[in-house]
Amino acid sequence: QVQLVESGGGLVQAGGSLRLACVASGTIFSINSMGWYRQAPGKQRELVAAISEGGSTNYADSVKGRFTISRDNVKNTIYLQMNSLKPEDTAVYSCKAEDVKRNYYDAARDYWGQGTQVTVSS
């Protein structure tokens, strides 16, 4: 079984910073893309940032220039450095690992973490 565990959420004032981490554990042969999603109350879940195994990144327009995603393939961990936080960044942030294989012959599966709350006060 593969598990994703997020950490680093919390309460911060507008203009502040937080760093989220997501660790994938278990029997893992390979992970394709990993990413951060967020869901605010009453809104649909949206992609915040994603990073491929090779390090290619993409970001939501709303976070470009403020958030940075990074990845440690040895540790199966991704990070999200969030700077210049705004109240509209308040949401539950969840980590997703795509096309995870537990061995060479395994079928690829996607996994989600439980999420971590980020609250930005004005």
Side-chain angles (χ1 to χ4, degrees), residues 4 6-7 9 11 14 17 21-22 24 26 28 67 70 73 75 89 91-92 96 99 122:
L4 272 62
E6 302 99 334
S7 62
L11 173 64
S17 299
C22 171
I28 298 172
F67 292 8
S70 59
N73 288 330
K75 297 180 179 180
D89 294 318
V92 174
K96 181 183 181 184
D99 297 335
S122 57

Side-chain angles (χ1 to χ4, degrees), residues 88-102:
E88 51 263 44
D89 294 318
T90 295
V92 174
Y93 285 69
S94 300
C95 171
K96 181 183 181 184
E98 295 184 356
D99 297 335
V100 180
K101 299 182 71 173
R102 293 169 297 174

Side-chain angles (χ1 to χ4, degrees), residues 10-16 18 85-90 118-122:
L11 173 64
V12 65
Q13 287 188 331
L18 284 174
L85 282 161
K86 304 175 181 180
E88 51 263 44
D89 294 318
T90 295
V118 171
T119 303
V120 184
S121 63
S122 57

Side-chain angles (χ1 to χ4, degrees), residues 1-120:
Q1 183 69 328
V2 175
Q3 289 187 322
L4 272 62
V5 179
E6 302 99 334
S7 62
L11 173 64
V12 65
Q13 287 188 331
S17 299
L18 284 174
R19 188 188 193 217
L20 305 183
C22 171
V23 180
S25 63
T27 303
I28 298 172
F29 173 74
S30 64
I31 302 175
N32 188 1
S33 176
M34 296 185 75
W36 290 97
Y37 290 74
R38 67 186 181 187
Q39 186 167 22
K43 295 188 177 181
Q44 288 191 329
R45 183 162 57 190
E46 63 174 351
L47 172 68
V48 176
I51 185 166
S52 71
E53 188 174 15
S56 297
T57 59
N58 67 289
Y59 295 90
D61 287 343
S62 59
V63 307
K64 284 180 181 177
R66 301 188 298 123
F67 292 8
T68 302
I69 189 170
S70 59
R71 177 170 176 169
D72 184 332
N73 288 330
V74 174
K75 297 180 179 180
N76 289 323
T77 299
I78 59 170
Y79 305 93
L80 186 68
Q81 179 65 44
M82 304 186 293
N83 298 328
S84 302
L85 282 161
K86 304 175 181 180
E88 51 263 44
D89 294 318
T90 295
V92 174
Y93 285 69
S94 300
C95 171
K96 181 183 181 184
E98 295 184 356
D99 297 335
V100 180
K101 299 182 71 173
R102 293 169 297 174
N103 57 64
Y104 180 82
Y105 302 101
D106 193 23
R109 297 176 177 85
D110 295 347
Y111 293 89
W112 287 90
Q114 293 282 65
T116 185
Q117 177 70 44
V118 171
T119 303
V120 184

